[in-house]
């Protein structure tokens, strides 16, 4: 998605009514992958100063339910949102600063991604979160610690 026109088409393609708040939220999540709700609200309010928290929350819920936005919530973290949907990518989270980055796929031996017993489930996704320290927090000048 690269423009407001594209965002309108994406909303219509998901059979959603095109509203200014939905457009603003979708474009913000596209521009700020892995942003939390407060960051999304602040960014949306730059274009729509009178938008309410509830309207942004409702837009995020609608966009997530329609599959246009993915909600992730690493353990101990607030919910974050991204428009990268439709693939089974994973995430890496910095324990110190909370930075989240995408990881395309687990490499090497990935036996743990195949359950020993699927209990009758038809599995379509495996979620993996890698934890560690980002390069900035690992740098000698960083003050972060485990």
């Amino acid at each position: 998605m690269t423009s407001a026109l594209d965002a309108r088409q994406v909303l219509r393609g998901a059979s959603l009514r095109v509203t200014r708040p939905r457009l603003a939220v979708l474009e913000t999540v596209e521009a700020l992958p892995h942003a939390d709700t407060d960051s999304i609200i602040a960014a949306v309010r730059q274009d729509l100063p009178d938008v309410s928290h509830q309207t942004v929350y409702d837009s995020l819920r609608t966009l997530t339910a329609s599959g246009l936005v993915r909600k992730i919530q690493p353990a101990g973290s607030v919910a974050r949102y991204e428009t990268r949907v439709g693939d089974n990518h994973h995430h890496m989270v910095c324990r110190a600063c909370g930075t989240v980055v995408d990881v395309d796929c687990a490499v090497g031996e990935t036996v743990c991604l195949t359950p020993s017993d699927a209990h009758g489930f038809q599995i379509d996704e495996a979620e993996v979160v890698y934890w560690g320290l980002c390069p900035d927090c690992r740098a000698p000048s960083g003050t972060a610690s485990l």
Side-chain angles (χ1 to χ4, degrees):
M1 189 170 38
T2 58
S3 70
L5 178 60
D6 292 340
R8 283 184 176 86
Q9 291 171 340
V10 166
L11 290 170
R12 287 186 185 114
S15 299
L16 294 176
R17 193 166 51 95
V18 176
T19 65
R20 289 183 65 204
R22 284 182 185 164
L23 283 171
V25 169
L26 185 59
E27 290 169 349
T28 297
V29 174
E30 172 76 15
L32 303 172
H34 309 123
D36 62 24
T37 309
D38 288 342
S39 299
I40 294 168
I41 291 169
V44 167
R45 283 187 171 165
Q46 290 179 2
D47 292 329
L48 302 174
D50 296 329
V51 73
S52 70
H53 278 74
Q54 191 61 50
T55 297
V56 173
Y57 282 112
D58 290 346
S59 295
L60 285 168
R61 187 173 25 261
T62 298
L63 295 170
T64 301
S66 70
L68 298 178
V69 167
R70 180 179 178 190
K71 176 182 176 180
I72 63 167
Q73 192 163 5
S77 176
V78 297
R80 296 168 180 266
Y81 298 87
E82 63 184 350
T83 55
R84 184 174 172 185
V85 296
D87 67 349
N88 192 24
H89 73 279
H90 310 297
H91 296 95
M92 194 170 305
V93 182
C94 179
R95 291 185 188 278
C97 69
T99 294
V100 178
V101 295
D102 290 333
V103 177
D104 284 334
C105 187
V107 296
E109 190 168 330
T110 56
V111 178
C112 65
L113 295 180
T114 304
S116 59
D117 182 350
H119 299 280
F121 282 68
Q122 179 180 348
I123 298 169
D124 58 32
E125 181 177 0
E127 184 174 310
V128 175
V129 178
Y130 299 94
W131 294 88
L133 294 176
C134 70
D136 290 340
C137 293
R138 279 189 18 239
S141 63
T143 59
S145 65
L146 293 175

